[in-house]
Amino acid sequence: MIDLADRVRGCLLGGAVGDALGAGVEFSSLEEIRATHGPDGLTSILPPGHFTDDTQMTLFTVEALLIAGVLLERDGFCNPIELLHHAYLRWLVTQSVPLPSVTIGEAEPLGWLLDVEMLHRREAPGMTCLSALASGEFGTPSRSINDSKGCGGVMRAAPGGLLVPGSVPGASPEEAYHLGCEIAAVTHGHPDGIDPSGALSAMICVLVSGASMREAIDSAIELSPVRQQRWLRHAAEIGADGPPSPEVIERELGAGWVGDEALAIAVACAVGAQSFDEGIIAATNHSGDADSTAAICGNLLGAHLGLGAIGPGWLEELDGVDVVAAAADDVIEWLERTQGCSAEFNRRYGSLEV
């Protein structure tokens, strides 16, 4: 029996593992990958095992949503999209970009991630995220900040399926979809950059309730606009009998640099995978945005199969595993609390007591 805690840890650590694996070949063509790593491609995380901006921003998403959950329960209201923007501004600081002039209330908790030295590594951050945040403005699903359809939104959206403010995990895929769209819209304005993020959050929401991968995909299809429905159905069909070959991925689904392609590749590699390893390796070895497609696939398979499906070798190769695990434990503490939370949790995200 895979419990909620295993699925939360699996989701966040699985995403980080996929991210670190894919980072080794992110800017390589399939021909270059095979020439360097052999016909099976890259099958282990390359030293030093760093994850990229995908996982960094996922962690800051966790931080924002935990703060939002505390504020909502304690005060009866919160503004998740503003809290997300503020968290992403903290990430911006870690990338050595000057902070724009933005007013943040003195009472708002600032989390703990800004003080984690290893998160200040610059690991090929997305230019859309950097430029949008440096502007000091933020977008919403109804007010676009730009016309970007890049995958910089969906790569960080998995926590939207775990931490819908005011909702029990797995109970509301519709709200998770909307939250996922808000997560992406802060920096990405095109529907093809926003809706995939909603779909991923909805799928994670359904998976942590114990549903099958196919059920999670079907739930996301029901919530998606027509164009995204076609992408998801096609991806599920391609991967039904197992992860597709790199040639099929590239011909049918693209390279993954934009949101809808990145999600489709991850879904195709996850839906028929017989193991965590099989899925993330397939999502890595193609010409394109390998770290993002493998990270999203890792989020999906980790939420579905739980932490136990992630072999210890992967975690040993992952630099920063303790930071990701600590964030996952904070999510679990919040979701499984019966009364208050620990002093350390309260220091990071705020206290339920006024």
Side-chain angles (χ1 to χ4, degrees), residues 291-309:
D291 64 327
S292 295
T293 55
I296 298 165
C297 186
N299 291 142
L300 290 168
L301 287 170
H304 177 43
L305 301 174
L307 180 61

Side-chain angles (χ1 to χ4, degrees), residues 30 75 265 292:
L30 178 59
D75 302 336
I265 291 170
S292 295

Side-chain angles (χ1 to χ4, degrees), residues 247-271:
E247 292 81 4
V248 171
I249 289 175
E250 294 176 17
R251 184 180 70 245
E252 299 290 335
L253 301 175
W257 298 110
V258 294
D260 48 10
E261 292 181 1
L263 179 63
I265 291 170
V267 166
C269 293
V271 64

